[in-house]
Amino acid sequence: GRVAARFVGGSNVPFYEQTNVGGKWTLRGFGDGRFIDKHGFVAGIEERWNVVGLRLYDVDAVVQLAAFFELGRVFRGGDAFTAESLKYAGGGALRFVLPGSDLVGSADFGISGEGLQAFIDLGYPF
């Protein structure tokens, strides 16, 4: 599991310095940087299962499945906090892991109220 929050001060903060939520690292059911405002938080839980162990060319490898659920939001100071203001996403992932190194090939698929998002990457989402 993980929880992250970010608060940005100032009256004229450029958009690229503001908090953004959505994408491979925060709320995988939404596109990269889908929600932007001064403050924000995300929380998520992920369970990973090693389903197949392989030995390829003298290198150990593991095929891994994962399921996740995430929620979060961005906001400006003074916004009301309600359950309806939260954004939710859930989904799964297929990963190819080389345990003796930091190399992980991942395909994460998140579903939200806006549809399906897919993220292909080298590395864990967190």
Side-chain angles (χ1 to χ4, degrees), residues 2 5 26 30-31 43 51 54 57 62 68 70 74 76-77 79 93 98 101 117:
R2 70 176 171 151
T26 59
F30 297 93
V51 292
L54 306 167
Y57 302 105
V62 174
F68 60 85
E70 301 166 325
V74 295
R76 192 167 294 278
D79 290 355
L98 298 179
S101 71
Q117 293 289 323

Side-chain angles (χ1 to χ4, degrees), residues 66-123:
F68 60 85
F69 177 77
E70 301 166 325
L71 61 88
R73 70 173 284 209
V74 295
F75 57 95
R76 192 167 294 278
D79 290 355
F81 184 86
T82 63
E84 293 81 29
S85 66
L86 292 172
K87 302 299 180 190
Y88 303 92
L94 175 64
R95 305 213 173 98
F96 186 77
V97 182
L98 298 179
S101 71
D102 291 330
L103 186 60
V104 178
S106 69
D108 292 45
F109 302 92
I111 301 170
S112 69
E114 295 184 358
L116 176 70
Q117 293 289 323
F119 301 94
I120 310 297
D121 198 9
L122 289 176

Side-chain angles (χ1 to χ4, degrees), residues 31-84:
D32 284 329
R34 169 66 177 86
F35 306 102
I36 299 174
D37 213 327
K38 289 181 77 173
H39 316 302
F41 75 92
V42 292
I45 188 164
E46 179 173 309
E47 181 67 33
R48 299 172 182 162
W49 299 276
N50 294 339
V51 292
V52 177
L54 306 167
R55 185 144 181 94
L56 304 169
Y57 302 105
D58 294 326
V59 176
D60 290 324
V62 174
V63 175
Q64 191 177 77
L65 293 177
F68 60 85
F69 177 77
E70 301 166 325
L71 61 88
R73 70 173 284 209
V74 295
F75 57 95
R76 192 167 294 278
D79 290 355
F81 184 86
T82 63
E84 293 81 29

Side-chain angles (χ1 to χ4, degrees), residues 6-24:
R6 184 165 185 242
F7 298 90
V8 178
S11 58
N12 293 315
V13 180
F15 74 91
Y16 53 85
E17 290 294 338
Q18 294 187 27
T19 303
N20 70 73
V21 172
K24 167 84 172 162

